[in-house]
Amino acid sequence: MRLTERIHLIGSGRHGFGLTHPSDCHVYLIDGGTEAAIVDAGAGLGEDAILTLLDRTGVPRERVRHLFLTHAHADHAGGAAGLRAALGLTIHASSEVAAILRDGDERAASVDVGKAQGSYAPDYRYAATDVASELTDGQRIGVGDLVVEVVATPGHATGHLAYLVHGDGRSDLFTGDTLLYGGVIILQGTWDCELGAHIASLRRLASHPHDGLFPGHLTLSVTEGDRHAQTAVAALDRGVLPPNLI
Ligand SMILES: [Zn+2]
């Protein structure tokens, strides 16, 4: 599903548009011309459906070289191993997320909590994979003629990153689970959910001007994306928390 000249949606589960496996987050393809990148990988339970949607974009598989992960939760990173195997991707993530993925550490990724909630079947396995590129805040990675800027946004989960993609006179913000449409956030009873860090991350996102808001779940904004971060910060400025998804 084409969202802008450069951004396609190639995966989305039950907390989105129901295009691929119900457990998948939004999976985006960013087309930089000579090469392309995927943002987040889904849960790893329906990779064929994601690859089918990738093929429908018209971007040849061999041009897709990168996978940028926002965080280690299974609905975002569980599919990393499978997509890397299928496409030969370089995986980019924070050092915290890289460590979890290399070990396939289900507890660190809170897969145990997801199973207890019924979000994943008891026999779901969180696949380990290598992560070649450990990212730090402010780093810039070229993807064809686009530039991906790393914005560290811990709080929802350890090592969470957002990505600001610059090109064609636009800046588009991929927020993972840090900020959803309408200023909604996701605070959970997981070991690494930290409210103070989350509040600081919301203010950081609001300080980066952006056109599109492309979050990990629910709907999205192709234009005027800034207003969602501003809504969240306006709540913080009133001394209350933005609405929580869960
Ligand atoms: Zn998450």
Side-chain angles (χ1 to χ4, degrees), residues 25-187:
C25 68
H26 290 335
V27 180
Y28 297 98
L29 179 76
I30 302 170
D31 183 3
T34 53
E35 57 178 355
I38 293 173
V39 178
D40 278 340
L45 295 167
E47 280 140 23
D48 287 349
I50 291 173
L51 292 170
T52 296
L53 292 184
L54 166 62
D55 291 340
R56 279 193 203 150
T57 67
V59 174
R61 291 190 184 193
E62 59 270 21
R63 289 217 320 251
V64 185
R65 309 243 171 88
H66 308 269
L67 170 60
F68 290 90
L69 295 175
T70 60
H71 64 300
H73 287 163
D75 52 334
H76 295 255
L83 288 181
R84 176 170 171 262
L87 298 168
L89 303 168
T90 296
I91 300 180
H92 305 265
S94 67
S95 59
E96 295 93 336
V97 169
I100 293 169
L101 262 179
R102 287 183 189 121
D103 291 344
D105 188 338
E106 295 203 352
R107 283 184 65 83
S110 298
V111 176
D112 53 340
V113 176
K115 287 183 178 178
Q117 289 172 340
S119 297
Y120 304 103
D123 62 350
Y124 174 77
R125 277 207 59 250
Y126 182 74
T129 188
D130 188 34
V131 176
S133 167
E134 295 189 10
L135 301 175
T136 55
D137 183 56
Q139 197 171 338
R140 289 168 172 257
I141 311 286
V143 176
D145 59 3
L146 300 174
V147 173
V148 178
E149 179 183 354
V150 179
V151 183
T153 53
H156 168 78
T158 186
H160 193 296
L161 301 177
Y163 298 104
L164 195 52
V165 178
H166 305 282
D168 289 350
R170 289 177 58 96
S171 295
D172 292 305
L173 185 61
F174 295 79
T175 55
D177 282 353
T178 296
L179 174 69
L180 307 184
Y181 186 97
V184 170
I185 61 174
I186 308 177
L187 297 175

